[in-house]
């Protein structure tokens, strides 16, 4: 770190404190009894320090880096003295604050609170006697002495600076080290091969030669990335590319480096454009040089590469350099710039910049091997390659890092030495010109000093830390690293952070982060001040006595014990921590941070090591319960503390009241103190508090919060009837920002009282909630209206929420469009008497509007002011994106609800995206939202005569409309969205007879149509010439679902003939479809179909041949009278899923048709993969599966007449579900099912009998192993040794819906022990089960046990659970069982009643489902 800058900074800190508010009074009070005029002392010292600071500031600019030992020694002494002075001035101000807070104690020598502090500090100083009173002048004398010594040290610094300047001048004459710190680059390759940059090179070449680039005279394309990432190498690749050489008739390469000199750069461009010897060296006039350059560059298409550009302060210098090129070059000329700084990109880019990151792992490994072994294909030294891969991963794809580390590793191909390098990070200490850390350090050296300090301080955070911007800036401020005159320090701190992002030191996404190599750089440059204790490797670490900032990553304090399956303390870490306490002067620490969780043992060591700290500015602690004694014994000494973060998830503990004596505290963060629920009454003593980071209810507990003048956020304020909680407490809090919620406004009695809150003066406030309690006894309309009138916020408010207001009218400040031009969100909620709403459409930037529970409001008025004229009056809600209107039963009129002009509505709701209107029964008309193109979500329910409407994610759902005209009107509400809707669902439209033609024409993207419960839906029976069905159904429709509708088979046939892309068809509960045929039947009905409803053809559904060839999914359910007339399902050559359930007559006619047929082909197509059928019987089954070699899932249900199944042909079957086949007793061909993974058998009592053992004990039916992985059953008859032995791969067993099963027999328990691969065991909804298997502990492979809805189980097995168990889930079981499970210690994760409500819902649904299926 810059030593001169560091000294200048600390002197400035002392000077600012010396001239700050309150110092004169503090000095006078501390010097009381002295004959010397305290004012003259302060003025003299200020003057001398100002002079010293000016010298240091000038030296910082003129001496780039302090190198002389004399200067460094003087600066170190000056910094040490300044630090002591800062602490003493801090202490003086502390006592002055105490006097102001406790004026009655100012002369009381026995004051307990202050004497305790003084006693502690006196001990720390080593004083022999305690101070007896506040007013002695010892402190002022010591400060004056130190400041005098600072001035003397300043004289030494002046003399040393003179010598340093002379040395710098001599060095500068020898070598221009500051112009080209890494040497000039050229366009010639220094690499034999470049790895991993082909793709980005091609992209850049395409950009340079694109039409866009050729259309302008001069484009600028930056390549940005950190030092060592390979920007120059990539630019060389592009520069030498053949396409680039052909495209540009002149190419120039210039190395810019740190100092941007227009004269030098212009001269170098001229040298490159001129033939022969340069004649421009003696020309120093820039104008003359540019005139020559303009002539030389005429009629040329130029590629100019400016490598390593840093200049980002003065854009005019950049424009000046380019001026002669802009008007002379041909179109298509490009400047390619490489830079480390995003700020440069922002200043110069005209094309999208190329952000260069590290190489991909595979490419980087090839480069790494090339650097180490000389050959990227080298495969020898297997052990070294393993270590090398670990090292390579830590280099994050940086090519320069690969070269740096490669040079180190290739010195010795020894595994032990490589391991030492891996563990010690020795490669980071390499200081050669081609090493990675020096390359990155160049960027650091050229940071402004304030950014250097902020960046280096971040070394304290762990690698990979996700920085919260607010937290980081607050810590910087607490350490005095942020200085600001015009802006709030928080705003300046954010500018610092963004500057570091622009310069590549931080990365920004959803959070801020620091690249690992940047973190390594921070550790190196901060090593004299910052110390990070994490892992302790083999390297010898150096601990400087100047360490001021310390962080400890507790993650390394523990190690995992595989035997005990728990973390145990790491003794090495504990000893190292104790050792550091001996070598580091802990009393001088300014920062102490803990990261990670720890136990009482670590806390004891920590408390002992850091018992003497007293100069801390920043303290972060976790697991507060272990550190309580440390805190209580040390807080009285931490009078300098600015930032305190306490985290605890332990039992409830009272807030340490001693914290309220930390008068300098600026940030108190207890957001993650879980059981923290009360504050002491003296919280308002923290008069310098800027941020109280805590839950909102804790904010509301601060009594007398008006004292905290610097507080920047008060989340919640509850108005009370005592002085400490009256609304006037808010008056002096002018710094409040963020959000403020004010509750219990019924306790405010007048407009004057509400005005005393001073909301109009809180210019940083963005969110405001004003709330009256809904439980108040009396609603005083006039008084509450006056109170609201007095709560006038400032004009830059962004979000306003009013709830519980009892007035009738709106406040005047909300009725003017000029009052709140920044307002983005308005929420009016539960205002029971508010009749006259404000003209809400007038706010120009309003994006969200919520009107909720306004029972007295009848209309939302139009703009009612005279500020707008002409056409502007037509534009309402110009920026509104979200509209929510709920529970407004009297609302009749909404703006533009009767609008006749589509253009007017479009302009007014031009950005509307979401609309929700609920329970507004009198609102008969709505604005024509269908004209708004941006609208993507609509939800309308309980609004006038409108049905339930839901538009979301290109899906439209309509439920309950009256007739076709109403449906057409509904579709017009979403008119602009109709063209993008992909799914349309129409449900419970009882009077819907046909689908509206005009609206359906606009559904050009519709892919899925679902029509449910529309009993009258039956399209008119017109001939094709009279009724054009094509106009009703979009031709792109892929999926059609019709359920519980009155549509006839004939009309559905016409519809299907028009759907040329249909692949999925579902027909459910459509009684008017009575017969089914595949292929159109024309003319006279054939004899083979004469039995199929001869009396009518309306019920006949004829699936066209082209449709049958195209369908992939066909589902026919619960059409009980449906019969088959012609052909069979083998016509569906593309069908992969077939579901026929609840159609008993269809199965009968299929059998009849098959018996009549002379063909021997199968009933079903061989393409089937999923088959679900019911009401099967033995006659039909042989024809169903004969050719289904690809079938993977088979489900058979409700087939009481089925007695046997032959599965020989289903060799690809993976899932088999058999449900409610009560007489099914035989499964043939199981030995062919080598792919079967999942078997479920439910309510099939006869099925297990063939598998039961014979008299000799052998199984009759299962004499071969099955490859089952999951088994679901509802009885214990399958748990037999002979069966379980044949299931060696079974991993998951579900014992489900088992009635009348109380316990497992001894034989069944032994059988279960043979399931050696079992990992998951579920007992679900077994109401009669009273005990689990006693041998459960023997299941050595079991990892997860789940017990759900088994109320009869009172306990776990007596012998316990298996040692392998990792997860235990218990839900909806007895209290005794749940309590026993909660106490389990040997299971890693125990979940009791997790997602209980969801499971109850599922159980109810399952009960209903199975009850219906039994019917």
């Amino acid at each position: 770190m810059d030593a001169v800058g560091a000294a200048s900074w600390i002197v400035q800190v002392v000077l600012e404190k010396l001239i700050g508010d309150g110092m004169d009074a503090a000095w006078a009070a501390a010097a009381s009894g002295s004959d010397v005029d305290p004012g003259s002392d302060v003025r003299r010292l200020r003057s001398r320090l100002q002079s010293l600071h000016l010298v240091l500031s000038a030296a910082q600019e003129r001496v780039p880096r302090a190198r002389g030992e004399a200067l460094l020694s003087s600066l170190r002494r000056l910094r040490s003295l300044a630090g002591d002075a800062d602490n003493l001035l801090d202490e003086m101000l502390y006592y002055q604050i105490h006097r102001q807070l406790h004026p009655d104690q100012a002369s009381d020598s026995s004051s307990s609170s202050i004497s305790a502090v003084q006693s502690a500090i006196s001990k720390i100083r080593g004083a022999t006697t305690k101070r007896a009173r506040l007013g002695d002048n010892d402190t002022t004398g010591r400060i004056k002495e130190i400041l005098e010594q600072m001035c003397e040290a300043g004289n030494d610094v002046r003399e040393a600076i003179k010598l340093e300047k002379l040395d710098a001048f001599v060095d500068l004459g020898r070598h221009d080290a500051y112009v080209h710190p890494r040497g000039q680059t050229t366009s010639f390759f220094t690499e034999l091969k470049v790895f991993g940059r082909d793709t980005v090179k091609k992209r850049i070449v395409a950009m340079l030669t694109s039409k866009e680039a050729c259309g302008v005279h001069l484009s600028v394309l930056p390549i940005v990335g950190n030092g060592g990432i390979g920007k120059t190498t990539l630019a060389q690749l592009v520069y030498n590319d053949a396409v680039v050489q052909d495209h540009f008739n002149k190419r120039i390469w210039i190395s810019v480096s740190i100092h941007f000199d227009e004269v030098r750069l212009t001269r170098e461009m001229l040298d490159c454009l001129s033939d022969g010897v340069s004649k421009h060296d003696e020309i120093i006039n820039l104008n003359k040089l540019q005139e020559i350059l303009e002539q030389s560059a005429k009629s040329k298409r130029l590629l100019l590469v400016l490598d390593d550009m840093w200049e980002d302060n003065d854009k005019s210098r950049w424009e000046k350099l380019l001026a002669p090129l802009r008007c002379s070059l041909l179109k298509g000329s490009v400047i390619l710039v490489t830079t480390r700084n995003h700020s440069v990109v922002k200043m110069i880019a005209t094309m999208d910049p190329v952000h260069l990151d590290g190489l991909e792992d595979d490419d980087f490994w090839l480069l790494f091997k090339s650097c180490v072994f000389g050959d990227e294909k080298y495969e020898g030294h297997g052990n070294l390659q393993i270590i090398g891969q670990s090292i390579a991963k830590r280099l994050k794809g940086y090519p320069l890092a690969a070269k740096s580390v490669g040079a180190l590793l290739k010195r010795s191909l020894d595994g032990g030495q490589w391991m030492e390098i891996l563990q010690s990070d020795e490669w980071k200490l390499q200081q050669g010109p081609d090493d990675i850390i020096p390359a990155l350090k160049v960027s650091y050296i050229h940071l402004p000093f304030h950014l250097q300090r902020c960046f280096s301080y971040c070394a304290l955070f762990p690698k990979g830390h996700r920085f919260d911007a607010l937290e980081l800036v607050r810590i910087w401020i607490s350490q005095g690293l942020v200085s600001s005159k015009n802006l709030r320090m928080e705003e300046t701190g954010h500018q610092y952070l963004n500057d570091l992002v622009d310069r590549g030191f931080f990365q920004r996404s959803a959070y801020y982060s620091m690249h690992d190599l940047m973190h390594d750089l921070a550790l190196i440059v901060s090593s004299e001040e910052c110390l990070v204790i994490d892992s302790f490797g083999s390297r010898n670490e150096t601990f400087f006595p100047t360490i001021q900032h310390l962080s400890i990553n507790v993650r390394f304090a523990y190690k995992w014990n595989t035997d005990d399956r728990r973390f145990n303390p790491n003794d090495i870490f504990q000893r190292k921590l104790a050792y550091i306490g001996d070598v580091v002067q802990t009393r001088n620490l300014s920062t102490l941070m803990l990261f990670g969780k720890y136990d009482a043992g670590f806390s004891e060591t920590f408390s002992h090591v850091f018992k003497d700290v007293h100069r801390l500015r920043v303290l972060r602690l976790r697991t507060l319960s272990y550190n309580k004694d440390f805190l209580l014994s040390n807080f009285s000494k931490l009078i300098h503390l600015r930032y305190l973060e306490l985290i605890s998830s332990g039992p409830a503990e009272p807030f340490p009241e001693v914290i309220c004596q930390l008068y300098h505290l600026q940030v108190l963060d207890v957001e993650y103190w879980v059981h923290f629920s009360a504050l002491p009454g003296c919280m308002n003593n923290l008069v310098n508090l800027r941020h109280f980071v805590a839950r909102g209810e804790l904010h509301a507990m601060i009594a007398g919060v008006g004292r905290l003048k610097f507080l920047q956020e008060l989340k919640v304020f509850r108005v009370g009837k005592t002085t400490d909680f009256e609304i006037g407490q808010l008056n002096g809090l002018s710094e409040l920002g963020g959000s403020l919620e004010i509750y219990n406004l019924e306790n405010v009695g007048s407009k004057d009282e509400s005005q005393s809150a001073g909301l109009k003066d809180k210019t940083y406030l963005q969110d405001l909630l004003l709330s009256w309690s809904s439980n108040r006894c009396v609603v005083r309309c006039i008084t509450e209206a006056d109170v609201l009138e007095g709560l006038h916020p400032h004009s830059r408010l962004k979000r306003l929420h009013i709830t519980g207001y009892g007035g009738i009218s709106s406040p005047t400040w909300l009725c003017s469009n000029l009052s709140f031009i920044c307002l983005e969100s308005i929420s009016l909620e539960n205002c029971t008497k508010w009749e006259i709403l404000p003209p809400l459409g007038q706010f120009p930037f309003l994006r969200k509007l919520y009107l909720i529970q306004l029972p007295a409001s009848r209309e939302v008025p139009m703009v009612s002011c005279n500020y707008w004229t002409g056409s502007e009056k037509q534009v309402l809600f110009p920026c509104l994106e979200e509209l929510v209107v709920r529970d407004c039963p009297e609302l009749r009129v909404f703006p533009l609800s009767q609008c006749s002009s589509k253009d007017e509505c479009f302009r007014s709701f031009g950005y509307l995206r979401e609309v929700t209107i609920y329970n507004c029964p009198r609102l008969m008309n709505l604005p024509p939202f269908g004209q708004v193109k941006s609208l993507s979500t609509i939800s309308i329910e309980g609004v006038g005569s409108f049905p339930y409407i839901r538009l979301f994610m290109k899906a439209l759902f309509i439920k309950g409309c009256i007739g076709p005209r109403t449906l057409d009107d509904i579709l017009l509400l979403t008119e602009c969205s109709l063209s993008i809707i992909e799914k349309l669902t129409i449900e419970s439209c009882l009077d819907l007879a046909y689908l509206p033609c005009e609206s359906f024409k606009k559904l050009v993207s519709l892919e899925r149509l679902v029509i449910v419960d529309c009993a009258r839906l039956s399209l008119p029976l017109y001939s094709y010439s009279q009724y054009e069905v094509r106009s009703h159904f979009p031709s792109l429709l892929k999926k059609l679902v019709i359920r519980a509708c009155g549509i006839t088979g004939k009309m559905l046939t016409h519809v299907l003939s028009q759907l040329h892309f249909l692949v999925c068809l579902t027909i459910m509960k459509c009684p008017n479809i009575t017969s089914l045929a595949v292929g159109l039947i024309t003319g006279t009905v054939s004899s083979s179909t004469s039995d199929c409803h001869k009396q009518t053809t309306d019920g006949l559904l004829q699936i066209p041949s082209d449709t049958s060839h195209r369908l992939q999914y066909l589902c026919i359910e619960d059409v009980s009278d449906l019969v088959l007339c012609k052909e069979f399902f083998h016509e569906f050559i593309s069908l992969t899923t077939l579901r026929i359930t609840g159609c008993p007559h269809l199965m009968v006619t299929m059998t009849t048709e098959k018996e009549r047929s002379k063909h021997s082909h199968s009933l079903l197509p061989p393409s089937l993969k999923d088959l679900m059928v019911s009401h099967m019987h033995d006659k039909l089954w042989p024809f169903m599966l004969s050719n289904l070699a690809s079938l993977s899932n088979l489900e058979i249900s409700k087939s009481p007449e089925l007695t046997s199944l032959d599965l020989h042909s289903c060799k690809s079957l993976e899932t088999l579900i058999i449900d409610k086949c009560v007489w099914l007793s035989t499964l043939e061909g199981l030995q062919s099912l080598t792919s079967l993974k999942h078997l479920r058998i439910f309510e099939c009592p006869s099925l297990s009998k063939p598998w039961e053992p014979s008299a000799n004990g052998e199984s009759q039916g299962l004499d071969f192993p099955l490859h089952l992985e999951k088994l679901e059953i509802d009885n214990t008859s399958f748990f037999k040794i002979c069966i379980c032995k044949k299931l060696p791969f079974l991993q998951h067993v579900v014992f489900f819906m088992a009635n009348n099963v109380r316990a497992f027999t001894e034989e069944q328990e032994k059988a279960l022990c043979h399931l050696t691969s079992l990992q998951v065991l579920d007992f679900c909804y077994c109401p009669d089960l009273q005990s689990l298997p006693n041998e459960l502990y023997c299941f050595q492979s079991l990892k997860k046990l789940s017990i759900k809805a088994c109320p009869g189980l009172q306990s776990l097995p007596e012998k316990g659970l298996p040692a392998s168990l990792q997860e235990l889930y218990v839900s909806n079981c007895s209290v005794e069982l749940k309590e026993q499970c909660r106490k389990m210690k040997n299971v890693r994760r125990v979940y009791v009643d997790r997602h209980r409500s969801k499971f109850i819902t599922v159980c109810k649904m399952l009960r209903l489902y199975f009850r219906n299926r039994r019917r």
Side-chain angles (χ1 to χ4, degrees), residues 546-710:
T546 52
I547 293 296
Q548 295 182 8
H549 312 290
L550 176 65
S551 72
I552 304 172
N553 191 343
V554 189
R555 181 169 63 91
F556 298 96
Y558 302 91
K559 55 185 178 182
W560 177 253
N561 188 315
T562 55
D563 296 331
D564 298 339
R565 293 197 301 169
R566 60 183 297 179
F567 285 98
N568 292 329
N570 186 341
D571 295 335
I572 297 177
F573 189 96
Q574 302 270 20
R575 288 196 298 271
K576 287 286 187 178
L577 181 62
Y579 168 73
I580 286 173
D582 294 333
V583 298
V584 174
Q585 297 182 18
T586 57
R587 64 185 300 272
N588 292 330
L589 288 178
S590 179
T591 301
L592 183 56
M593 298 185 186
L594 285 183
F595 294 95
K597 298 180 180 179
Y598 50 89
D599 60 6
F602 174 86
S603 180
E604 183 178 350
T605 304
F606 173 85
S607 300
H608 174 74
V609 171
F610 298 105
K611 63 180 182 298
D612 293 329
V613 294
H614 78 283
R615 290 186 175 181
L616 285 180
R617 256 68 169 178
V618 173
L619 176 61
R620 297 185 62 186
L621 293 178
R622 299 185 65 98
T623 319
L624 181 61
S625 56
Y626 297 132
N627 290 103
K628 184 176 66 172
D629 295 336
F630 166 77
L631 292 179
L632 294 178
S633 62
N634 282 273
F635 268 154
S636 60
K637 299 183 295 189
L638 302 180
I639 65 172
H640 306 284
L641 201 63
R642 262 72 172 174
Y643 186 101
L644 176 61
E645 181 178 353
L646 303 174
I647 300 175
S648 175
S649 58
E653 293 282 350
F655 186 80
E657 193 165 335
V658 68
I659 290 178
C660 299
Q661 297 178 21
L662 306 177
Y663 303 142
H664 285 309
L665 198 64
Q666 296 177 355
V667 180
L668 176 58
D669 188 343
V670 291
E671 185 172 17
Y672 297 107
W673 190 342
V674 177
H675 299 294
F676 180 26
S677 58
L679 289 177
C682 53
M683 267 291 291
N684 61 356
N685 285 346
L686 302 176
V687 292
N688 283 301
L689 195 66
R690 302 172 70 88
H691 304 282
F692 181 40
V693 185
R695 302 184 300 277
E697 60 266 25
L698 293 176
H699 283 233
M701 296 178 185
I702 304 176
V705 71
R707 264 189 184 179
L708 310 182
K709 304 297 183 183
F710 301 106

Side-chain angles (χ1 to χ4, degrees), residues 494-566:
H494 278 283
Q495 289 181 359
Y496 287 4
L497 184 55
N498 290 328
D499 285 345
L500 288 171
V501 171
D502 288 342
R503 295 168 187 264
F505 289 86
F506 276 87
Q507 298 166 332
R508 177 173 52 199
S509 53
Y511 50 87
Y512 290 84
S513 61
M514 186 184 291
H515 195 284
D516 284 358
L517 288 174
M518 281 298 178
H519 190 271
D520 294 331
L521 174 64
L523 286 170
I524 291 173
V525 299
S526 67
S527 58
E528 293 187 8
E529 291 189 356
C530 298
L531 176 61
V532 178
I533 303 175
D534 44 24
S535 60
F536 291 92
S538 60
R539 61 175 175 163
N540 294 321
E541 302 194 45
T542 302
F543 304 117
F544 292 93
T546 52
I547 293 296
Q548 295 182 8
H549 312 290
L550 176 65
S551 72
I552 304 172
N553 191 343
V554 189
R555 181 169 63 91
F556 298 96
Y558 302 91
K559 55 185 178 182
W560 177 253
N561 188 315
T562 55
D563 296 331
D564 298 339
R565 293 197 301 169
R566 60 183 297 179

Side-chain angles (χ1 to χ4, degrees), residues 1043-1060:
R1043 177 182 176 184
C1045 293
I1047 189 170
T1048 64
K1050 182 174 183 179
M1051 291 314 303
L1052 184 55
T1053 301
H1054 297 332
V1055 170
L1056 294 179
S1057 66
Q1058 306 300 318
L1059 303 180
H1060 303 297

Side-chain angles (χ1 to χ4, degrees), residues 9-21 23 46 49 53 89 93 480 482-485 489:
W9 169 76
I10 189 63
V11 169
Q12 181 182 357
V13 169
V14 175
L15 183 58
E16 288 179 351
K17 194 165 289 184
L18 198 60
I19 64 177
D21 295 338
M23 178 52 65
R46 287 173 182 167
L49 284 180
H53 184 254
L89 290 172
L93 290 171
V482 178
S483 179
S484 181
K485 294 182 179 179
M489 284 195 291

Side-chain angles (χ1 to χ4, degrees), residues 110-403:
S110 63
S111 172
S112 59
S113 59
I114 196 67
S115 62
V117 176
Q118 289 179 327
S119 174
I121 295 173
S122 297
K123 289 180 180 179
I124 294 166
R125 293 176 180 166
T128 58
T129 59
K130 298 182 180 180
R131 297 187 180 190
R133 56 193 301 273
L134 294 176
D136 66 24
N137 57 9
D138 177 62
T139 300
T140 57
R142 294 177 67 249
I143 292 175
K144 284 193 293 183
E145 180 182 349
I146 291 176
L147 293 178
E148 292 289 352
Q149 293 176 12
M150 285 178 61
C151 293
E152 293 174 5
N155 293 330
D156 296 338
V157 169
R158 285 187 179 92
E159 294 301 321
I161 284 175
K162 292 177 183 179
L163 294 174
E164 191 78 13
K165 288 181 181 178
L166 180 61
D167 291 343
F169 178 78
V170 173
D171 290 343
L172 199 61
R174 295 174 185 166
H175 178 66
D176 191 2
Y178 302 108
V179 176
H180 300 293
R182 66 165 184 162
Q184 289 200 28
T185 63
T186 72
S187 63
F188 291 92
F189 289 113
T190 58
E191 312 295 335
L192 296 177
K193 183 176 180 179
V194 180
F195 295 87
R197 297 302 191 195
D198 288 342
T199 301
V200 66
K201 185 202 79 168
K202 291 177 182 178
R203 179 159 63 94
I204 294 175
V205 171
M207 295 174 71
L208 296 180
T209 58
S210 64
K211 291 182 179 179
E212 292 78 5
C214 293
V216 295
H217 282 282
L218 190 61
S219 304
V220 182
L221 174 61
I223 302 174
V224 61
N226 287 334
I229 203 71
K231 303 182 295 296
T232 299
T233 302
L234 177 59
Q236 290 169 338
L237 280 175
V238 173
Y239 186 91
N240 292 288
D241 184 81
V243 174
V244 171
Q245 294 184 35
D246 292 340
H247 185 75
F248 298 97
N249 53 25
K250 190 64 180 179
R251 295 171 299 135
I252 297 176
W253 181 287
I254 296 178
S255 182
V256 181
S257 198
I258 288 154
H259 294 291
F260 189 88
D261 184 347
E262 305 95 303
V263 174
R264 177 180 69 84
L265 296 175
T266 303
R267 188 181 288 123
E268 289 193 24
M269 281 190 277
L270 278 173
D271 290 345
C272 295
L273 287 171
S274 303
D275 296 328
V277 180
S278 171
K279 300 178 181 179
H280 313 107
D281 291 342
E282 296 181 358
I283 301 176
I284 60 174
N285 184 279
L286 179 60
N287 186 71
K288 181 62 177 176
L289 289 171
Q290 289 193 332
E291 288 178 351
I292 301 173
L293 178 60
E294 181 182 8
Q295 293 300 319
S296 301
K298 272 189 176 179
S299 303
K300 289 183 174 63
R301 178 178 286 173
L302 175 69
L303 172 64
L304 172 61
V305 176
L306 298 179
D307 187 39
D308 197 25
M309 180 171 165
W310 292 70
E311 173 61 40
D312 62 354
N313 292 322
D314 191 352
K315 188 175 182 180
S316 64
R317 301 181 67 186
W318 169 255
E319 297 293 345
K320 189 188 300 181
L321 177 68
L322 267 56
L325 300 177
R326 292 191 188 278
C327 53
S328 59
L329 294 172
L330 291 176
K331 285 186 176 181
S333 296
V334 180
I335 301 177
L336 185 65
V337 179
T338 69
T339 181
R340 303 181 182 206
N341 297 340
H342 292 267
S343 52
V344 172
V345 175
K346 292 178 181 178
M347 186 179 78
I348 68 172
T350 65
M351 306 174 71
D352 291 336
V354 176
H355 298 274
L356 199 60
D357 295 318
L359 295 174
E360 296 294 332
D361 289 346
D362 293 341
D363 294 322
F364 188 74
W365 176 237
L366 294 177
L367 171 63
F368 187 82
K369 288 200 295 183
S370 176
C371 294
V372 178
F373 303 110
D375 181 6
E376 75 266 19
K377 298 181 180 179
Y378 184 78
E379 297 297 336
H381 290 86
N383 60 327
L384 293 184
Q385 297 224 20
I386 294 173
I387 302 171
Q389 286 180 336
S390 299
I391 296 175
K393 288 179 181 178
R394 301 178 65 177
L395 303 183
K396 305 299 180 183
Y398 273 60
L400 187 57
K403 298 175 188 176

